[in-house]
Amino acid sequence: MSYAQPQSSSRRLTALVAVGIFHVILIYALIHGLARKIVEVVRAPLETKIIEEVKRPPPEQPPPPPPPPKLATPPPPFIPPPEVQIQVPVQLPPTITAVVPTPPSVPIPPPAVPAPPARTPAVVDARGCPKPAYPAASIRANETGLVTLTFLIDVDGRVLESKVERSSGHRRLDEAARAGLGICKFTPATVDGRPERAWARIQYDWKLE
């Protein structure tokens, strides 16, 4: 009989156990060691740091351009003064002129102004003119007053027209005066001695005696 087979199987079992133990240790180590490293590796990128922003100085601006140079105004051009030529009047020798006396002028009389024409107004001829009759109704009514009449006298002294210029206040007295004086004889108005048709004004005062 041979005993080689049992020994080989025991060795294989021992190797398997050793391999299992090794795997267990490896897994434990991986769990506790590598896991921590993995956490640390994963945690590192998650850490953020606030970095203060460094304020950069503003860019330097170029210096302002220099002011333009002051140009001195050139002096005004020299203008020579104009030459003034003074002409000296030439004195001529005195001349002798004969003065002839002129006769005094005779004043010319102004033209004669024609004299205005001589006019005379018409006049009532009282000798041929009876007094107008006093109206009986006016006497009973005790009417009085001064009436002014105008008559157009023709060249022969006759009355052509008559009208009451100012009433006495009573129509009966006005009409009686116009009718009574209208038959009177008038001397016509004249111009340079010639008779002329003209208007004449007559007043008659009615009074009760």
Side-chain angles (χ1 to χ4, degrees):
M1 289 181 67
S2 177
Y3 292 97
Q5 187 174 359
Q7 294 179 355
S8 60
S9 57
S10 61
R11 291 178 179 179
R12 186 176 301 174
L13 182 61
T14 303
L16 290 173
V17 171
V19 170
I21 293 171
F22 178 78
H23 281 88
V24 171
I25 294 171
L26 182 61
I27 292 171
Y28 180 81
L30 289 174
I31 292 172
H32 291 278
L34 292 178
R36 185 177 301 173
K37 290 183 179 180
I38 291 170
V39 171
E40 291 179 357
V41 170
V42 171
R43 186 185 301 174
L46 296 177
E47 293 181 358
T48 59
K49 293 182 179 181
I50 300 174
I51 301 174
E52 295 183 358
E53 183 179 359
V54 180
K55 295 183 179 181
R56 296 182 180 180
E60 297 181 359
Q61 298 181 356
K70 296 183 179 181
L71 301 177
T73 56
F78 174 74
I79 300 175
E83 296 182 359
V84 180
Q85 296 181 358
I86 301 175
Q87 295 182 358
V88 179
V90 179
Q91 296 183 355
L92 299 175
T95 57
I96 300 173
T97 57
V99 178
V100 179
T102 57
S105 58
V106 178
I108 301 174
V113 178
R119 293 180 178 271
T120 59
V123 180
V124 179
D125 189 358
R127 293 172 298 177
C129 183
K131 292 175 62 175
Y134 216 116
S138 297
I139 293 174
R140 290 192 299 268
N142 198 22
E143 295 176 350
T144 60
L146 178 66
V147 58
T148 302
L149 305 171
T150 55
F151 295 95
L152 179 60
I153 311 303
D154 202 357
V155 293
D156 58 357
R158 292 182 301 106
V159 176
L160 298 178
E161 295 181 24
S162 63
K163 59 184 178 180
V164 178
E165 185 174 299
R166 185 174 181 179
S167 174
S168 63
H170 306 283
R171 186 173 183 181
R172 283 191 294 263
L173 296 179
D174 297 341
E175 292 299 327
R178 188 159 69 98
L181 296 176
I183 61 176
C184 293
K185 181 67 175 179
F186 285 84
T187 302
T190 61
V191 177
D192 291 338
R194 293 177 299 177
E196 182 183 41
R197 182 181 297 180
W199 285 91
R201 181 182 290 108
I202 300 173
Q203 289 183 339
Y204 190 81
D205 191 9
W206 292 97
K207 292 180 180 181
L208 289 174
E209 298 179 357

